[in-house]
Amino acid sequence: EFRRFSLERSKPGKFEEFYGLLQHVHKIPNVDVLVGYTDIHGDLLPINNDDNYHKAVSTANPLLRIFIQRKEDADYSAFGTDTMTRKKNVLSNVLRPDNHKKKPHIVISMPQDFRPVSSIIDVDILPETHRRVRLYKYGTDKPLGFYIRDGSSVRVTPHGLEKVPGIFISRLVPGGLAQSTGLLAVNDEVLEVNGIEVSGKSLDQVTDMMIANSRNLIITVRPANQRNNVVRNSRTSGSSGQSTESSLPSSTPNILPNLLQGEEESDEEDIIIEDSGEPQQIPKAAPTSESLESLTQIELLHESTQNGFLPSSEMNLNHSAGSISMEYEVRDPNHKSLEEDGTIITL
Amino acid sequence: MRRFLRPGHDPVRERLKRDLFQFNKTVEHGFPHQPSALGYSPFLRLMAIGTRSGAIKLYGAPGVEFMGLHEENNTVMQIHFIPDQCQLVTLLDDNSLHLWSLKQHSGASELREEHRFTLKGPPGSPPSATQITAVLPHSSREVLYLGTESGNIFVVELPTFTLLEDRTITSETVLQRVPEDYCNRRSCELVEALREHPKNPDQILIGYSRGLIVLWDLQNNKVTHHFLGSQQLENLYWQRDGSKFISCHYDGSYTQWPVSSDNRQPEPLENLVPYGPFPCKAISKIYWQTTKNGVPYIIFQGGMPRASYGDRHSISVVHGSQQTAFDFTSRVIDFFIIFSSEPTAEFDDPSAMVVLAEEELVVIDLKTAGWPAVHPPYLASLHCSAITCSHHVSNIPLKLWERIISAGSKQNIHYSNMPWPIDGGTNIAPDPPQRDLLLTGHEDGTVRFWDASGVCLHLLYKLSTVRVFLTDADPNDNMNTLGEDEWPPLRKVGTFDPYSDDPRLGIQKIYLCKYSGYLAVAGTAGQVLVMELNDEDAEHVVDHAEADLLQDQEGYRWKGHEKLKTRDGPVRFEAGFQPFVLVQCQPPAVVTSLALHSEWKLVAFGTSHGFGLFDHQQKRLVFVKCTLHPSDQLALEGPLSRVKSLKKSLRQSFRRIRRSRVSSRKRRGGSGNASEVQEANAKFDQDALQEMELAPVQRKIEARSAEDSFTGFVRTLYFADTFLRDSSRHCPSLWAGTNGGTVYAFCLRVPPAERRMDEPVRAEQAKEIQLMHRAPVVGILVLDGRSTPLPEPLEVAHDLSKSPDMQGSHQLLVVSEEQFKVFTLPKVSSKLKLKLTALEGCRVRKVTVANFGSCKTDDYSENDLAVLTNLGDIQIISLPFLKLQIRYPCIRKEDVSGIASCVFTKYGQGFYLISPSEFERFSLSTKWLVEPRCIVDIPEVTSNNHVHNKSGMENAARKSRSSGDHAEDERKPERLMEHALLNDEKVLKEIQSTLEGGR
């Protein structure tokens, strides 16, 4: 069934209006549908919020081809592409086929329902040969999915080159968080874990540190493959991921140090069940005292004392300029059940 | 931007830290691991023990002990004290000799290595030419005679170890006058024994291994007598008057030889195979001791009939018609006899036999009829049954202390009353600051109570839980009930018995309330016993209760061990702690946590399945809570099925342990020798690095999930009177922490004392906290309004603690293996945390609150957390702000059993096992420091002077020195008396006699 209609390109209006229009045009006022469009590369991309709606309208050349599917029998894997190399904006949603096979009922929804799964951070302060990767474990059932091993590495020291013990990634579990981000690879040398250098630490110590930080793991690696390194302030080749990575638009003028403030805390929200009632997150006591201020000094590098809560994704987006690459995974909207599982904290 | 500032380096706090904390390894308690040599100085009345790791330890009167470590870490083969000197010579298995001296330094004696020496033969000679087999320190104190494998005897000068080549006694010169036919058969023998003539220092007896014995005249450098033994020689012993000597042999025989002045060829007086006529094992050492009444004591090691008793480790004492073969449970390393050492005394009159066996020290009183054993004040065999857990209680009230001692004394009736015969040196350490008990739980179901107040870890009382249960072993099975005419007349001695009747009896957790005398003990098969101290024997029925921890969980099957069968009817208990109730957990899994509240009369216990609360006043189960995750099959199936999954990791860790052994020896005993430690570490790192390149080990990085195994394992239980529900009313509460990072809090309602028996104790779950990092919870603590940890039960009632501040708001401290977190109460909100693992990669293994006093000002003290990590580091973390104060490396990280055995005291000390039989004591406090401090003075040699006229000069020198030390001597008696008051009169007398002797 095809319909053809026109829109004012300069004033596309809101997504809700557009959605209503579509329902009206197709005479399906009460049917939930998924809206998609093909972009200039022929990729099928979703339209589900104002931003990607505007993007879609602006890229129409001149025709915007829109696909509508019933939500119940929507084929999610139709979205996304293997050919896409550039992200249109930071909001471009990457919906990997394997993900959707696992969770067929995921609904593409509003940005606050998206959450980051990984990012490269602190590009500006790190040597080009290093990469600081952040894995957002919380909120996902995916295993971190990697192994580390002992090994030896060569360091430049005042006495010349020296062989020193080092920690390396030894294996990536297929389908795990680490592998799916494409930011970590076998034989990458681990240099830091959440800002703490690993040199001089044993494999067991580093294992414990990583597990202790597993809900919000930041690993600084020296990639084994140095060809995909970020070259600062120039067009980059992006990281070496196999899937749907995109490079930063070359126009990005400068990269801010990444301070995803407040998020450090979010991994640590313990749950309290009072009198066998509903599980609740344990709030943070008001940090009024001097002692608390000083305590945080011994905590993690980028720790914020002010905001104990996970900021909304929108807030994330505002701060994400420093990220080279950011992927989003659609969160399972059914968080009630997750809470009951006790595996994931949600807000 | 405050948070980017460096953590404050407050100079005041830094200074205070110096006044509060200090790390020392102070003393090793227990029995040295793998002893290899024994020495004794009748002059100093000190005993020396050498070990296979190169340590030597000297022991005298209780509290007098010294320790030294050979750098080589080689096995100590022989120890010889230099006659009438504070010096000793050790021979190691690398053929090196070491001279050690006891020297006084800042008021206390110290053991130091002075010289070392390795005997070198002429170039090209085989190593056996200089392999030392026998050492004789000559009574002149100037030379050592060194018998070698080649049969030559070398002479070295002391203390410089200069070889006096012209005085070497070669085997050729010895053999010159030996009858042809004899010496043809026996060439190239090694020197087995060297003995100086007891009356004439110019004559020494040389025994060669093939049987030849010669008496050598040192003045004329010639043989005066040949004794042509026909059997392979093991050892020699002179009779006191020098008219006869005795030789013992490989075939289990001994021979007496006369020494006459005429030139006749001496013939043996008597040749005897004591346990003949069938072939016997060698007699490796023999003593011939004369007595006033003329009947000698003949004491020899070995000689048992080869076929039927060849596996026994025995020492036989023969005195006239009395004969006993003391049968030791472990190999006899060496032994000596304490006898009258006065040179003027006519007879030996032996008083005691001291036997060093592989696993224990046994002393036999030879003066008392029946030759009973003497209870050693130190060198206790901690491992007589393997230690399974330990519990320390500081500052025991005098009343309880006395009652435990009196219960213990009733158990020790078969011991001799003889004062401890090895009583050299003087203990000048200050009195122990308080009475401390260390309780060790053992595999055989016993709990031993040790006096851990001072340097000597001393057994006070032994409690056995076995009587409550029916076991295969018959308790009446007495190994000493041998018939009258049993031959050989074996008698089992010693306490070392590594075999457990039933591993389920093993003790896993102990909790003693020092104010009430209630004791709770829990074991391997889910048994929890509550006991009460009773000064009399009693016969009563132990009440039973079952706690089904699985409750409503259906369809699970326990595949582990069964519970222990209990004895029906009344059971007779000896005076001491007597069980009155047994709570049996179902399934009967190992009890993993235990808490006792003696004021509320409640006991809480936890296993891998859940936890329960029992009211031991009403003998009623209050509640049980199952903590098991439904998917956790492993925990259910019991310990047997776990074996499979652990196999691999076990094999790996064994490999690691073996690898670390080499480097570990380097570190053993070196108390705080930093460079040594570093060296060993460096070596280990290198080894580890090499290993790595060969076979990379990988580790999985994964967040913990609720489905992991053993998340329900209850790690910690804690009673607190705090604000659980609202901030206006506090109530008793029970807290439990699991392996999966869950904390449960139950609100308890304990009826008031007058209605305690009428109304039931009620409990209701009030809170459940799930730590998102899911690390095992190893400690729970409530801080009062002043941020002070809540006092122990009954502590306030006994006026020993300020009552807790119930006005201000309480805080909850939860310690997991990875983090320390403070929450507010009653509304749980997180206040502070310290993410230890994320920062340092180490995990909490043990944690306790310790009180640290300042060494500068008496009135300042503070509570901190003492933490032991899986890396073997000890960290002190401040309360309530959770700031790391200081860190000390303490235990090697590979020493898993050492880390697991560590127990902290409430005043910043601690113990951990450095071997199955030894506790290392350490102190984190500047104020409480229990370490040996003692003086060994050279007793005045008066009667000996005519023998050793050369020593006159030395004596004069010594006198002048001692007068220089006079000021110190003045001070000493006062302190000594002070010390003596704490101990018994015996010690007082000994000290007084020592002092009088010194003047």
Side-chain angles (χ1 to χ4, degrees), chain A residues 147-151 166-170 187 203, chain B residues 696-699:
Chain A
Y147 290 74
I148 57 171
R149 62 167 172 90
D150 280 310
I167 304 288
F168 295 83
I169 293 176
S170 62
N187 292 335
L203 182 63
Chain B
V697 188
Q698 47 173 16
R699 294 271 184 278

Side-chain angles (χ1 to χ4, degrees), chain B residues 452-469:
Chain B
S453 329
V455 170
C456 293
L457 193 73
H458 181 68
L459 182 67
L460 296 177
Y461 164 69
K462 181 178 126 183
L463 163 74
S464 175
T465 61
V466 182
R467 280 182 168 279
V468 181
F469 305 102

